[in-house]
Amino acid sequence: MRIGILTSGGDCAGLNAVILAVVRRAVLGYGWDVVGIRQGTHGLMQDPPQAIDLNDHVNNDGMLRLGGTILGTVNKGDPFHYPMPDGSFADRSAEVIAGYNKLGLDALIGVGGDGSMAILHRLAKMGGINLVGIPKTIDNDLAQTEYSIGFTTAVNVAVEALDRLQPTAASHDRIMILEVMGRDAGHIALFAGVAGGADAILIPEMDYDLDALTEHCLNIRKRGRNHALVIVAEAVKRDDGSAVTQENDGQKIRYGGIGHWLADELGARTGWETRVTVLGHVQRGGIPSPRDRVIASAFGVHAVDLIAEGRFDRVVAWSKRKVIDVDMADVIVGPRLVDTNGTMVSTAKGLGAYLGTPPKTVRTAKTV
Ligand SMILES: Nc1ncnc2c1ncn2[C@@H]1O[C@H](COP(=O)(O)OP(=O)(O)OP(=O)(O)O)[C@@H](O)[C@H]1O
Ligand SMILES: O=P(O)(O)OC[C@H]1O[C@](O)(CO)[C@@H](O)[C@@H]1O
Ligand SMILES: [Mg+2]
């Protein structure tokens, strides 16, 4: 047997740990060959396909703690809608499938988020590829899994930022706003906000009211505290409903900047000096947390076992303290958003944090 593995979508901590787990299980457990595909689907699109032999990495224990991905990754260039140099878009899916066939692979493990998983699922159906998916993304927005690789490390980074912001906020009598990533979901902001003691947690799943937020901050002051911490997810909108974006090139939207808008508004309304930190890609890099390494290892081993059992079109998932596997069709249903009636929201509210209210319009994306 000869299996391939690729990493796709935004990188995150724990990708090399999952590659190592796949190599160890496949090589030591089954005596198979493992091929690493470079730059996600882009590596397969090249002729010859860009790939490396991963068998030698079976002894590379440094990978367990190494950030990024040794294979490289892409979160642009959908092969079904590929941007060509002349500005047009082409369907290059057949080239990706041809690349897979040229490598002589019996199965493919795709480590990706929701966007990547949807693309790989479609390619697998078209090309008869034996596909198994492994969820990764700092956004933790994949359906069916409680945790995706990279999320916990990103939360740890955001909590450390709050830990560092609190003393400087207290020293200078300020409101500190921390803007975090998460794409359309507020999981990072919510987990980090609870763990880091944020006084207000703004997430895209909840509607906020600037007057209520202002009053909340002023009440903190009245109660005798000279500083406040606010965490805001990047996809939170301005009060007129418009998103703050850095890029919208027709391929994808890149959020960023809501923290600065909020600081202007909140500073003016409260009369309290307000500063902003935009955490950005710091949340994706660095050494994976032990929990991400555990999840990556469990996912990698289970994914290889699925191939050994001939069970394809499955995605491994973390559920109720163990690894399970689910139909890929049940995973590519759009982003899994924060459950506004869930434990994390009620905990944050119970701690007295300002979160706003659930939106009046029903959101269609999954919250499970
Ligand atoms: N070659 C590609 N591989 C993966 N995604 C691609 C590619 N080209 C374009 N995309 C699009 O880019 C976006 C990547 O989104 P996203 O960054 O969410 O990726 P992901 O795999 O879901 O992982 P993550 O959420 O961690 O970044 C998706 O909407 C996807 O459709
Ligand atoms: O690396 P890029 O292309 O700027 O993408 C940033 C996006 O990727 C993520 O880090 C992971 O999906 C999001 O949280 C963020 O919106
Ligand atoms: Mg994603």
Side-chain angles (χ1 to χ4, degrees):
M1 281 277 276
R2 185 173 155 84
I3 67 169
I5 178 167
L6 60 79
T7 50
S8 179
D11 79 313
C12 61
L15 291 178
N16 289 318
V18 73
I19 295 168
L20 179 65
V22 164
V23 170
R24 286 207 165 150
R25 186 63 177 151
V27 172
L28 303 177
Y30 297 102
W32 297 345
D33 290 323
V34 186
V35 172
I37 295 153
R38 289 199 185 277
Q39 304 295 134
T41 51
H42 290 193
L44 291 174
M45 213 181 268
Q46 311 303 314
D47 192 10
Q50 299 300 296
I52 54 170
D53 181 353
L54 285 179
N55 285 26
D56 285 347
H57 284 282
V58 75
N59 286 324
N60 186 353
D61 58 355
M63 282 170 69
L64 196 57
R65 41 207 126 240
L66 185 66
T69 161
I70 61 163
L71 296 176
T73 186
V74 284
N75 65 359
K76 278 186 174 182
D78 177 352
F80 292 97
H81 191 66
Y82 193 84
M84 302 302 282
D86 66 0
S88 65
F89 290 91
D91 181 351
R92 299 188 62 184
S93 53
E95 291 166 67
V96 176
I97 293 163
Y100 173 83
N101 289 329
K102 270 181 209 152
L103 289 174
L105 299 175
D106 299 299
L108 176 67
I109 294 177
V111 186
D114 55 332
S116 303
M117 220 68 97
I119 290 170
L120 292 172
H121 178 71
R122 208 170 150 197
L123 287 166
K125 283 266 171 278
M126 275 177 61
I129 297 171
N130 292 327
L131 178 68
V132 170
I134 297 182
K136 69 87 214 160
T137 169
I138 64 164
D139 305 335
N140 207 26
D141 59 354
L142 278 135
Q144 306 295 337
T145 187
E146 287 159 18
Y147 292 102
S148 55
I149 299 166
F151 173 64
T152 308
T153 306
V155 170
N156 290 354
V157 172
V159 173
E160 187 185 340
L162 288 174
D163 289 348
R164 288 172 187 272
L165 287 170
Q166 189 272 340
T168 170
S171 304
H172 281 270
D173 203 339
R174 284 173 172 164
I175 297 177
M176 286 291 185
I177 295 179
L178 178 68
E179 178 183 315
V180 294
M181 285 184 162
R183 217 178 277 281
D184 294 301
H187 300 288
I188 297 175
L190 187 52
F191 273 68
V194 167
D199 300 296
I201 303 172
L202 303 190
I203 57 175
E205 292 87 346
M206 303 277 279
D207 286 344
Y208 67 89
D209 174 72
L210 273 179
D211 291 334
L213 178 59
T214 303
E215 201 188 322
H216 183 76
C217 291
L218 292 176
N219 281 338
I220 289 171
R221 190 152 218 168
K222 270 191 211 139
R223 284 199 300 270
R225 179 133 63 79
N226 77 336
H227 63 280
L229 296 177
V230 176
I231 190 164
V232 58
E234 60 178 357
V236 167
K237 311 276 188 288
R238 297 184 186 94
D239 61 348
D240 66 0
S242 62
V244 187
T245 58
Q246 298 294 310
E247 179 188 11
N248 188 352
D249 59 4
Q251 275 198 79
K252 65 180 287 194
I253 289 175
R254 187 151 56 87
Y255 293 114
I258 184 65
H260 288 283
W261 178 85
L262 190 64
D264 288 345
E265 291 292 329
L266 206 52
R269 284 163 185 261
T270 56
W272 207 343
E273 201 173 21
T274 305
R275 293 285 188 269
V276 190
T277 300
V278 180
L279 213 44
H281 293 83
V282 174
Q283 294 156 99
R284 295 221 309 239
I287 299 169
S289 70
R291 190 188 182 110
D292 271 331
R293 298 185 209 183
V294 167
I295 287 180
S297 302
F299 280 179
V301 168
H302 194 73
V304 174
D305 288 343
L306 282 175
I307 295 174
E309 291 162 18
R311 297 174 61 220
F312 302 111
D313 207 28
R314 309 286 293 169
V315 178
V316 301
W318 193 265
S319 174
K320 300 190 179 91
R321 301 179 184 211
K322 60 178 184 178
V323 183
I324 58 165
D325 51 89
V326 295
D327 266 347
M328 196 169 276
D330 295 330
V331 173
I332 50 172
V333 291
R336 177 181 67 90
L337 302 179
V338 167
D339 179 359
T340 55
N341 296 313
T343 297
M344 289 305 295
V345 167
S346 59
T347 300
K349 281 185 174 170
L351 292 169
Y354 176 82
L355 270 95
T357 50
K360 290 179 189 73
T361 48
V362 178
R363 311 224 173 179
T364 48
K366 289 224 161 198
T367 54
V368 289

